Amino acid sequence: MPTDYNHLSDKYDQTKVSPLRRYVDKFTLFKVLGNVRGKSALDLGCGHGHYTRMVKSQGAARVVGVDISQAMIDDARSQEQGTPLGIEYRVEDVTDLESIGSFDLALAVYLFPYAASRQQLSGMCGSIYRNLKPGGRLVAAVLNPAVTEAELPRYQKYGVNVIAPTGLYDGAAITASLEIPDGSFNISAYYWSQATYERLLEEAGFQKIVWHPMEVPEDAIQRYGQDYWQAYQTKSLDIVLECYKPSEAG
């Protein structure tokens, strides 16, 4: 059953203080994104607008956040009202999102794992492609396809307990229990292989697909110690993929 974020809005917001999200995700995503100053950006599956605000704060020009959850977007809009940055938020289903602009950059942080079928994943890829300029770029964070079922327990120390009841294969349902200051909560998602991601992205029209393992920054090592991060540095639970819409000349 898909996760209903309208009822988990407050709990999900608490995940931003976790070591993985606070240090590793942020560091790797923005290292891959590079300089966003003056660029237009579309944040898909934006939730409360955590990364949406970061992108805007780093100098992006037009920034639009999209999420299927009305509660998430209401919270994002509330934060925008309290601290105006000039961000537009929309309640939309990315699976069949029409053209709402022509963006330099699309960010999709843990969007793709919510595709329950190959058709939905393909729809997401097509929607993103449709909303990028020629030469535009997609940067997405997903569950690392290289992680095996036997390796999943090693990530519990980072506050993420991933369970794959029937194994890991294309479209397999998984459950992640996320630790937060108030306890924990579960979200449902789906596993997709690297080959399937690449095939559907290429079918949508994307080129130059590159995979970037999550990196642990020095300040995180200093705070928690090298031993704490050893398992994650060996193989990260999540990974960032980057790809491009061909330029008009291409």
Side-chain angles (χ1 to χ4, degrees):
M1 179 180 297
T3 303
D4 184 357
Y5 284 100
N6 289 316
H7 294 97
L8 290 176
S9 181
D10 292 338
K11 290 184 178 180
Y12 194 79
D13 191 42
Q14 295 180 50
T15 64
K16 66 185 180 185
V17 302
S18 72
L20 287 182
R21 190 168 186 192
R22 184 177 180 184
Y23 291 99
V24 179
D25 288 6
K26 176 183 174 182
F27 177 80
T28 309
L29 281 165
F30 282 91
K31 181 176 180 180
V32 176
L33 283 172
N35 185 4
V36 299
R37 186 166 298 279
K39 296 181 179 180
S40 55
L42 179 62
D43 187 7
L44 299 156
C46 68
H48 296 87
H50 180 65
Y51 291 110
T52 327
R53 291 189 294 276
M54 286 187 184
V55 170
K56 183 64 175 177
S57 297
Q58 292 199 7
R62 183 192 180 198
V63 178
V64 178
V66 173
D67 200 279
I68 197 172
S69 167
Q70 182 69 59
M72 291 281 197
I73 292 297
D74 286 346
D75 187 71
R77 287 171 175 165
S78 178
Q79 294 185 62
E80 171 66 18
Q81 185 175 10
T83 307
L85 296 176
I87 300 170
E88 175 190 349
Y89 290 103
R90 302 170 64 117
V91 179
E92 303 273 4
D93 184 350
V94 179
T95 304
D96 55 6
L97 180 67
E98 296 300 322
S99 177
I100 61 172
S102 185
F103 296 86
D104 297 301
L105 175 70
L107 181 65
V109 181
Y110 306 121
L111 168 70
F112 289 152
Y114 293 111
S117 67
R118 189 181 298 262
Q119 182 179 5
Q120 288 184 349
L121 184 56
S122 177
M124 290 177 179
C125 294
S127 294
I128 296 170
Y129 187 88
R130 186 161 48 244
N131 281 280
L132 282 173
K133 294 178 180 179
R137 184 165 56 116
L138 164 65
V139 174
V142 301
L143 176 69
N144 188 350
V147 170
T148 66
E149 187 179 357
E151 292 169 328
L152 291 176
R154 70 171 59 171
Y155 303 106
Q156 293 180 27
K157 66 186 294 183
Y158 306 112
V160 183
N161 182 21
V162 179
I163 300 172
T166 61
L168 293 176
Y169 52 87
D170 272 337
I174 60 176
T175 300
S177 177
L178 307 180
E179 292 182 9
I180 56 174
D182 287 350
S184 64
F185 68 99
N186 293 340
I187 60 173
S188 300
Y190 300 88
Y191 172 89
W192 297 101
S193 67
Q194 180 173 337
T196 295
Y197 276 124
E198 293 182 354
R199 183 179 304 113
L200 295 183
L201 286 166
E202 289 170 353
E203 286 178 359
F206 285 101
Q207 298 179 348
K208 302 177 183 177
I209 302 171
V210 180
W211 295 82
H212 302 270
M214 292 292 188
E215 296 184 35
V216 181
E218 186 59 34
D219 56 345
I221 294 174
Q222 291 179 357
R223 177 162 184 175
Y224 292 93
Q226 182 66 55
D227 289 344
Y228 175 82
W229 292 110
Q230 186 60 47
Y232 215 80
Q233 288 179 309
T234 300
K235 183 186 290 185
S236 61
L237 176 63
D238 307 303
I239 196 166
V240 174
L241 69 84
E242 176 187 26
C243 57
Y244 291 81
K245 182 172 182 174
S247 65
E248 292 177 320

